Amino acid sequence: MSVWVLMIVQVLLTAGTVAAVLFAFWYLVVRPWLAERMRELVEAADQIEPKVAKGVNKGVADAVRQLPQNAWEGATKESTKQFLKFGSNLFENGLSSFLGSTAEMQKSQSSSGSRPPGQGDR
């Protein structure tokens, strides 16, 4: 055999041996180790969500308990006052208090000129 053929055979055998060793190392050492670490990570992630939810619930409950009583009374008093004002305006003035009166509608139509409705400036 010539020297070139021996060199090519030597390179191929070396490459095959290195590939076989790397392949065996990957499947026998690295892959099982990674699978174990992934299983641990999945277990840890599964435990995080309930702990976070429990912590949030506890934090909200503590914050609500720490609010002074006058804060609750003030908030409910203001919202009740606004709701009553809204209801009395609706009862006294009807829908015109929210939609506008007929005079205001006629005034807005006359100020728009003789253009047909929906025809704005372009």
Side-chain angles (χ1 to χ4, degrees), residues 24-58:
F25 182 74
W26 173 259
Y27 278 99
L28 298 175
V29 177
V30 175
R31 194 167 178 188
W33 182 80
L34 286 176
E36 177 67 25
R37 295 296 168 258
M38 286 302 297
R39 189 184 56 77
E40 291 174 3
L41 285 174
V42 168
E43 287 175 1
D46 288 342
Q47 294 173 359
I48 289 174
E49 186 177 349
K51 289 180 181 178
V52 168
K54 183 179 177 183
V56 168
N57 288 339
K58 184 180 182 310

mmCIF file of all heavy atoms in Angstrom, residues 24-58:
data_model
loop_
_atom_site.group_PDB
_atom_site.id
_atom_site.type_symbol
_atom_site.label_atom_id
_atom_site.label_comp_id
_atom_site.label_asym_id
_atom_site.label_seq_id
_atom_site.Cartn_x
_atom_site.Cartn_y
_atom_site.Cartn_z
ATOM 1 N N ALA A 24 -20.722 7.730 22.451
ATOM 2 C CA ALA A 24 -20.932 6.935 23.671
ATOM 3 C C ALA A 24 -20.964 7.846 24.897
ATOM 4 O O ALA A 24 -21.803 7.672 25.794
ATOM 5 C CB ALA A 24 -19.845 5.879 23.809
ATOM 6 N N PHE A 25 -20.077 8.820 24.968
ATOM 7 C CA PHE A 25 -20.054 9.752 26.103
ATOM 8 C C PHE A 25 -21.360 10.543 26.169
ATOM 9 O O PHE A 25 -21.918 10.742 27.246
ATOM 10 C CB PHE A 25 -18.849 10.696 25.972
ATOM 11 C CG PHE A 25 -18.723 11.659 27.106
ATOM 12 C CD1 PHE A 25 -18.281 11.225 28.352
ATOM 13 C CD2 PHE A 25 -19.040 12.994 26.940
ATOM 14 C CE1 PHE A 25 -18.162 12.112 29.406
ATOM 15 C CE2 PHE A 25 -18.935 13.888 27.984
ATOM 16 C CZ PHE A 25 -18.488 13.454 29.226
ATOM 17 N N TRP A 26 -21.839 10.982 25.012
ATOM 18 C CA TRP A 26 -23.092 11.735 24.984
ATOM 19 C C TRP A 26 -24.265 10.890 25.496
ATOM 20 O O TRP A 26 -25.012 11.333 26.361
ATOM 21 C CB TRP A 26 -23.373 12.241 23.564
ATOM 22 C CG TRP A 26 -24.727 12.886 23.440
ATOM 23 C CD1 TRP A 26 -25.850 12.352 22.921
ATOM 24 C CD2 TRP A 26 -25.092 14.201 23.872
ATOM 25 N NE1 TRP A 26 -26.893 13.226 22.999
ATOM 26 C CE2 TRP A 26 -26.452 14.392 23.584
ATOM 27 C CE3 TRP A 26 -24.392 15.231 24.482
ATOM 28 C CZ2 TRP A 26 -27.127 15.559 23.872
ATOM 29 C CZ3 TRP A 26 -25.061 16.409 24.772
ATOM 30 C CH2 TRP A 26 -26.419 16.559 24.471
ATOM 31 N N TYR A 27 -24.428 9.689 24.971
ATOM 32 C CA TYR A 27 -25.583 8.867 25.315
ATOM 33 C C TYR A 27 -25.461 8.165 26.663
ATOM 34 O O TYR A 27 -26.483 7.839 27.275
ATOM 35 C CB TYR A 27 -25.865 7.848 24.206
ATOM 36 C CG TYR A 27 -26.642 8.486 23.081
ATOM 37 C CD1 TYR A 27 -26.008 8.916 21.932
ATOM 38 C CD2 TYR A 27 -28.009 8.694 23.191
ATOM 39 C CE1 TYR A 27 -26.706 9.517 20.915
ATOM 40 C CE2 TYR A 27 -28.719 9.294 22.173
ATOM 41 C CZ TYR A 27 -28.068 9.711 21.038
ATOM 42 O OH TYR A 27 -28.767 10.322 20.027
ATOM 43 N N LEU A 28 -24.245 7.924 27.135
ATOM 44 C CA LEU A 28 -24.089 7.204 28.398
ATOM 45 C C LEU A 28 -23.845 8.112 29.599
ATOM 46 O O LEU A 28 -24.111 7.716 30.735
ATOM 47 C CB LEU A 28 -22.945 6.181 28.287
ATOM 48 C CG LEU A 28 -23.148 5.091 27.232
ATOM 49 C CD1 LEU A 28 -21.905 4.225 27.125
ATOM 50 C CD2 LEU A 28 -24.371 4.257 27.565
ATOM 51 N N VAL A 29 -23.359 9.337 29.363
ATOM 52 C CA VAL A 29 -23.030 10.222 30.489
ATOM 53 C C VAL A 29 -23.847 11.512 30.449
ATOM 54 O O VAL A 29 -24.586 11.833 31.389
ATOM 55 C CB VAL A 29 -21.515 10.554 30.503
ATOM 56 C CG1 VAL A 29 -21.178 11.524 31.612
ATOM 57 C CG2 VAL A 29 -20.696 9.280 30.649
ATOM 58 N N VAL A 30 -23.722 12.272 29.383
ATOM 59 C CA VAL A 30 -24.310 13.614 29.334
ATOM 60 C C VAL A 30 -25.835 13.568 29.269
ATOM 61 O O VAL A 30 -26.513 14.278 30.016
ATOM 62 C CB VAL A 30 -23.736 14.405 28.128
ATOM 63 C CG1 VAL A 30 -24.418 15.745 27.982
ATOM 64 C CG2 VAL A 30 -22.242 14.582 28.286
ATOM 65 N N ARG A 31 -26.364 12.751 28.410
ATOM 66 C CA ARG A 31 -27.819 12.715 28.236
ATOM 67 C C ARG A 31 -28.561 12.287 29.509
ATOM 68 O O ARG A 31 -29.530 12.949 29.886
ATOM 69 C CB ARG A 31 -28.164 11.806 27.056
ATOM 70 C CG ARG A 31 -29.554 11.965 26.589
ATOM 71 C CD ARG A 31 -29.732 11.303 25.256
ATOM 72 N NE ARG A 31 -31.122 11.444 24.841
ATOM 73 C CZ ARG A 31 -31.636 10.848 23.814
ATOM 74 N NH1 ARG A 31 -30.888 10.083 23.057
ATOM 75 N NH2 ARG A 31 -32.886 11.016 23.512
ATOM 76 N N PRO A 32 -28.151 11.240 30.212
ATOM 77 C CA PRO A 32 -28.828 10.908 31.477
ATOM 78 C C PRO A 32 -28.690 12.013 32.530
ATOM 79 O O PRO A 32 -29.621 12.290 33.285
ATOM 80 C CB PRO A 32 -28.135 9.623 31.941
ATOM 81 C CG PRO A 32 -27.564 9.030 30.717
ATOM 82 C CD PRO A 32 -27.202 10.188 29.843
ATOM 83 N N TRP A 33 -27.512 12.636 32.575
ATOM 84 C CA TRP A 33 -27.309 13.732 33.526
ATOM 85 C C TRP A 33 -28.246 14.902 33.224
ATOM 86 O O TRP A 33 -28.868 15.463 34.123
ATOM 87 C CB TRP A 33 -25.846 14.181 33.468
ATOM 88 C CG TRP A 33 -25.526 15.277 34.433
ATOM 89 C CD1 TRP A 33 -25.280 15.159 35.763
ATOM 90 C CD2 TRP A 33 -25.423 16.661 34.125
ATOM 91 N NE1 TRP A 33 -25.026 16.379 36.308
ATOM 92 C CE2 TRP A 33 -25.110 17.329 35.317
ATOM 93 C CE3 TRP A 33 -25.561 17.404 32.957
ATOM 94 C CZ2 TRP A 33 -24.926 18.703 35.373
ATOM 95 C CZ3 TRP A 33 -25.387 18.768 33.018
ATOM 96 C CH2 TRP A 33 -25.078 19.409 34.211
ATOM 97 N N LEU A 34 -28.379 15.270 31.940
ATOM 98 C CA LEU A 34 -29.296 16.346 31.550
ATOM 99 C C LEU A 34 -30.748 15.976 31.837
ATOM 100 O O LEU A 34 -31.544 16.824 32.273
ATOM 101 C CB LEU A 34 -29.121 16.679 30.067
ATOM 102 C CG LEU A 34 -27.865 17.450 29.686
ATOM 103 C CD1 LEU A 34 -27.784 17.605 28.175
ATOM 104 C CD2 LEU A 34 -27.830 18.807 30.353
ATOM 105 N N ALA A 35 -31.124 14.734 31.605
ATOM 106 C CA ALA A 35 -32.488 14.298 31.877
ATOM 107 C C ALA A 35 -32.802 14.432 33.366
ATOM 108 O O ALA A 35 -33.897 14.865 33.753
ATOM 109 C CB ALA A 35 -32.687 12.859 31.402
ATOM 110 N N GLU A 36 -31.862 14.074 34.216
ATOM 111 C CA GLU A 36 -32.042 14.198 35.663
ATOM 112 C C GLU A 36 -32.189 15.668 36.070
ATOM 113 O O GLU A 36 -33.061 16.030 36.869
ATOM 114 C CB GLU A 36 -30.856 13.570 36.391
ATOM 115 C CG GLU A 36 -30.902 13.692 37.889
ATOM 116 C CD GLU A 36 -32.029 12.906 38.516
ATOM 117 O OE1 GLU A 36 -32.480 11.913 37.905
ATOM 118 O OE2 GLU A 36 -32.456 13.274 39.621
ATOM 119 N N ARG A 37 -31.364 16.526 35.519
ATOM 120 C CA ARG A 37 -31.447 17.967 35.842
ATOM 121 C C ARG A 37 -32.771 18.549 35.356
ATOM 122 O O ARG A 37 -33.390 19.369 36.036
ATOM 123 C CB ARG A 37 -30.281 18.730 35.215
ATOM 124 C CG ARG A 37 -28.937 18.354 35.754
ATOM 125 C CD ARG A 37 -28.811 18.702 37.237
ATOM 126 N NE ARG A 37 -27.643 18.088 37.806
ATOM 127 C CZ ARG A 37 -27.658 16.994 38.564
ATOM 128 N NH1 ARG A 37 -28.788 16.408 38.836
ATOM 129 N NH2 ARG A 37 -26.554 16.499 39.054
ATOM 130 N N MET A 38 -33.222 18.136 34.183
ATOM 131 C CA MET A 38 -34.503 18.633 33.666
ATOM 132 C C MET A 38 -35.658 18.177 34.541
ATOM 133 O O MET A 38 -36.592 18.926 34.807
ATOM 134 C CB MET A 38 -34.722 18.174 32.222
ATOM 135 C CG MET A 38 -33.875 18.908 31.210
ATOM 136 S SD MET A 38 -34.132 20.681 31.222
ATOM 137 C CE MET A 38 -35.833 20.779 30.761
ATOM 138 N N ARG A 39 -35.600 16.938 35.030
ATOM 139 C CA ARG A 39 -36.639 16.448 35.913
ATOM 140 C C ARG A 39 -36.675 17.268 37.204
ATOM 141 O O ARG A 39 -37.735 17.641 37.684
ATOM 142 C CB ARG A 39 -36.406 14.966 36.236
ATOM 143 C CG ARG A 39 -37.565 14.307 36.988
ATOM 144 C CD ARG A 39 -37.258 12.880 37.386
ATOM 145 N NE ARG A 39 -36.039 12.739 38.174
ATOM 146 C CZ ARG A 39 -35.936 13.049 39.484
ATOM 147 N NH1 ARG A 39 -36.962 13.534 40.118
ATOM 148 N NH2 ARG A 39 -34.797 12.868 40.124
ATOM 149 N N GLU A 40 -35.504 17.587 37.737
ATOM 150 C CA GLU A 40 -35.432 18.421 38.943
ATOM 151 C C GLU A 40 -35.994 19.815 38.689
ATOM 152 O O GLU A 40 -36.705 20.370 39.534
ATOM 153 C CB GLU A 40 -33.990 18.521 39.425
ATOM 154 C CG GLU A 40 -33.431 17.230 39.981
ATOM 155 C CD GLU A 40 -31.953 17.342 40.307
ATOM 156 O OE1 GLU A 40 -31.376 18.440 40.152
ATOM 157 O OE2 GLU A 40 -31.367 16.320 40.711
ATOM 158 N N LEU A 41 -35.678 20.381 37.528
ATOM 159 C CA LEU A 41 -36.189 21.711 37.194
ATOM 160 C C LEU A 41 -37.710 21.714 37.046
ATOM 161 O O LEU A 41 -38.393 22.640 37.494
ATOM 162 C CB LEU A 41 -35.545 22.224 35.909
ATOM 163 C CG LEU A 41 -34.109 22.712 36.030
ATOM 164 C CD1 LEU A 41 -33.556 23.053 34.650
ATOM 165 C CD2 LEU A 41 -34.026 23.912 36.934
ATOM 166 N N VAL A 42 -38.250 20.679 36.429
ATOM 167 C CA VAL A 42 -39.696 20.584 36.254
ATOM 168 C C VAL A 42 -40.381 20.449 37.611
ATOM 169 O O VAL A 42 -41.403 21.087 37.879
ATOM 170 C CB VAL A 42 -40.053 19.415 35.310
ATOM 171 C CG1 VAL A 42 -41.530 19.107 35.351
ATOM 172 C CG2 VAL A 42 -39.614 19.728 33.894
ATOM 173 N N GLU A 43 -39.812 19.641 38.494
ATOM 174 C CA GLU A 43 -40.385 19.498 39.831
ATOM 175 C C GLU A 43 -40.343 20.817 40.591
ATOM 176 O O GLU A 43 -41.303 21.194 41.269
ATOM 177 C CB GLU A 43 -39.644 18.419 40.613
ATOM 178 C CG GLU A 43 -39.932 17.010 40.152
ATOM 179 C CD GLU A 43 -39.082 15.979 40.887
ATOM 180 O OE1 GLU A 43 -38.280 16.367 41.768
ATOM 181 O OE2 GLU A 43 -39.226 14.787 40.576
ATOM 182 N N ALA A 44 -39.230 21.539 40.481
ATOM 183 C CA ALA A 44 -39.117 22.828 41.159
ATOM 184 C C ALA A 44 -40.102 23.833 40.581
ATOM 185 O O ALA A 44 -40.734 24.604 41.318
ATOM 186 C CB ALA A 44 -37.690 23.354 41.031
ATOM 187 N N ALA A 45 -40.271 23.833 39.268
ATOM 188 C CA ALA A 45 -41.215 24.761 38.636
ATOM 189 C C ALA A 45 -42.648 24.442 39.036
ATOM 190 O O ALA A 45 -43.469 25.348 39.206
ATOM 191 C CB ALA A 45 -41.060 24.702 37.117
ATOM 192 N N ASP A 46 -42.962 23.165 39.192
ATOM 193 C CA ASP A 46 -44.311 22.787 39.619
ATOM 194 C C ASP A 46 -44.603 23.241 41.041
ATOM 195 O O ASP A 46 -45.756 23.483 41.400
ATOM 196 C CB ASP A 46 -44.506 21.273 39.511
ATOM 197 C CG ASP A 46 -44.608 20.799 38.070
ATOM 198 O OD1 ASP A 46 -44.874 21.638 37.186
ATOM 199 O OD2 ASP A 46 -44.410 19.588 37.836
ATOM 200 N N GLN A 47 -43.583 23.370 41.852
ATOM 201 C CA GLN A 47 -43.769 23.801 43.231
ATOM 202 C C GLN A 47 -43.817 25.308 43.362
ATOM 203 O O GLN A 47 -44.307 25.829 44.356
ATOM 204 C CB GLN A 47 -42.641 23.260 44.108
ATOM 205 C CG GLN A 47 -42.644 21.754 44.231
ATOM 206 C CD GLN A 47 -41.416 21.231 44.958
ATOM 207 O OE1 GLN A 47 -40.559 22.003 45.355
ATOM 208 N NE2 GLN A 47 -41.348 19.926 45.120
ATOM 209 N N ILE A 48 -43.331 26.038 42.374
ATOM 210 C CA ILE A 48 -43.266 27.498 42.465
ATOM 211 C C ILE A 48 -44.643 28.119 42.397
ATOM 212 O O ILE A 48 -44.989 28.994 43.205
ATOM 213 C CB ILE A 48 -42.351 28.063 41.360
ATOM 214 C CG1 ILE A 48 -40.909 27.732 41.666
ATOM 215 C CG2 ILE A 48 -42.527 29.562 41.210
ATOM 216 C CD1 ILE A 48 -39.948 28.117 40.580
ATOM 217 N N GLU A 49 -45.471 27.718 41.446
ATOM 218 C CA GLU A 49 -46.768 28.374 41.233
ATOM 219 C C GLU A 49 -47.670 28.335 42.468
ATOM 220 O O GLU A 49 -48.202 29.370 42.850
ATOM 221 C CB GLU A 49 -47.481 27.758 40.034
ATOM 222 C CG GLU A 49 -48.762 28.482 39.687
ATOM 223 C CD GLU A 49 -49.424 27.918 38.457
ATOM 224 O OE1 GLU A 49 -48.806 27.105 37.756
ATOM 225 O OE2 GLU A 49 -50.570 28.300 38.210
ATOM 226 N N PRO A 50 -47.847 27.187 43.127
ATOM 227 C CA PRO A 50 -48.678 27.205 44.338
ATOM 228 C C PRO A 50 -48.105 28.097 45.437
ATOM 229 O O PRO A 50 -48.851 28.775 46.144
ATOM 230 C CB PRO A 50 -48.715 25.737 44.787
ATOM 231 C CG PRO A 50 -48.362 24.948 43.587
ATOM 232 C CD PRO A 50 -47.476 25.815 42.766
ATOM 233 N N LYS A 51 -46.773 28.116 45.559
ATOM 234 C CA LYS A 51 -46.154 28.968 46.581
ATOM 235 C C LYS A 51 -46.377 30.443 46.268
ATOM 236 O O LYS A 51 -46.643 31.240 47.171
ATOM 237 C CB LYS A 51 -44.655 28.672 46.687
ATOM 238 C CG LYS A 51 -44.358 27.329 47.327
ATOM 239 C CD LYS A 51 -42.869 27.092 47.415
ATOM 240 C CE LYS A 51 -42.560 25.740 48.027
ATOM 241 N NZ LYS A 51 -41.122 25.481 48.079
ATOM 242 N N VAL A 52 -46.259 30.815 45.000
ATOM 243 C CA VAL A 52 -46.477 32.211 44.616
ATOM 244 C C VAL A 52 -47.929 32.597 44.859
ATOM 245 O O VAL A 52 -48.216 33.664 45.409
ATOM 246 C CB VAL A 52 -46.073 32.436 43.139
ATOM 247 C CG1 VAL A 52 -46.550 33.781 42.637
ATOM 248 C CG2 VAL A 52 -44.582 32.312 42.977
ATOM 249 N N ALA A 53 -48.859 31.746 44.464
ATOM 250 C CA ALA A 53 -50.282 32.048 44.673
ATOM 251 C C ALA A 53 -50.587 32.179 46.160
ATOM 252 O O ALA A 53 -51.319 33.082 46.573
ATOM 253 C CB ALA A 53 -51.139 30.951 44.039
ATOM 254 N N LYS A 54 -50.030 31.294 46.950
ATOM 255 C CA LYS A 54 -50.247 31.355 48.396
ATOM 256 C C LYS A 54 -49.659 32.643 48.961
ATOM 257 O O LYS A 54 -50.280 33.299 49.805
ATOM 258 C CB LYS A 54 -49.599 30.136 49.056
ATOM 259 C CG LYS A 54 -49.812 30.047 50.539
ATOM 260 C CD LYS A 54 -49.161 28.792 51.097
ATOM 261 C CE LYS A 54 -49.302 28.712 52.597
ATOM 262 N NZ LYS A 54 -48.612 27.546 53.145
ATOM 263 N N GLY A 55 -48.482 33.023 48.495
ATOM 264 C CA GLY A 55 -47.851 34.258 48.961
ATOM 265 C C GLY A 55 -48.637 35.490 48.563
ATOM 266 O O GLY A 55 -48.771 36.435 49.344
ATOM 267 N N VAL A 56 -49.163 35.504 47.337
ATOM 268 C CA VAL A 56 -49.961 36.649 46.883
ATOM 269 C C VAL A 56 -51.245 36.752 47.706
ATOM 270 O O VAL A 56 -51.621 37.835 48.148
ATOM 271 C CB VAL A 56 -50.278 36.531 45.375
ATOM 272 C CG1 VAL A 56 -51.327 37.535 44.951
ATOM 273 C CG2 VAL A 56 -49.007 36.723 44.565
ATOM 274 N N ASN A 57 -51.917 35.629 47.913
ATOM 275 C CA ASN A 57 -53.137 35.650 48.721
ATOM 276 C C ASN A 57 -52.850 36.149 50.128
ATOM 277 O O ASN A 57 -53.602 36.953 50.679
ATOM 278 C CB ASN A 57 -53.759 34.256 48.782
ATOM 279 C CG ASN A 57 -54.388 33.861 47.477
ATOM 280 O OD1 ASN A 57 -54.711 34.708 46.656
ATOM 281 N ND2 ASN A 57 -54.555 32.571 47.260
ATOM 282 N N LYS A 58 -51.757 35.692 50.718
ATOM 283 C CA LYS A 58 -51.401 36.117 52.064
ATOM 284 C C LYS A 58 -51.056 37.601 52.071
ATOM 285 O O LYS A 58 -51.473 38.342 52.964
ATOM 286 C CB LYS A 58 -50.220 35.292 52.582
ATOM 287 C CG LYS A 58 -49.845 35.597 54.023
ATOM 288 C CD LYS A 58 -48.665 34.733 54.446
ATOM 289 C CE LYS A 58 -48.268 34.940 55.882
ATOM 290 N NZ LYS A 58 -48.082 36.290 56.291
#
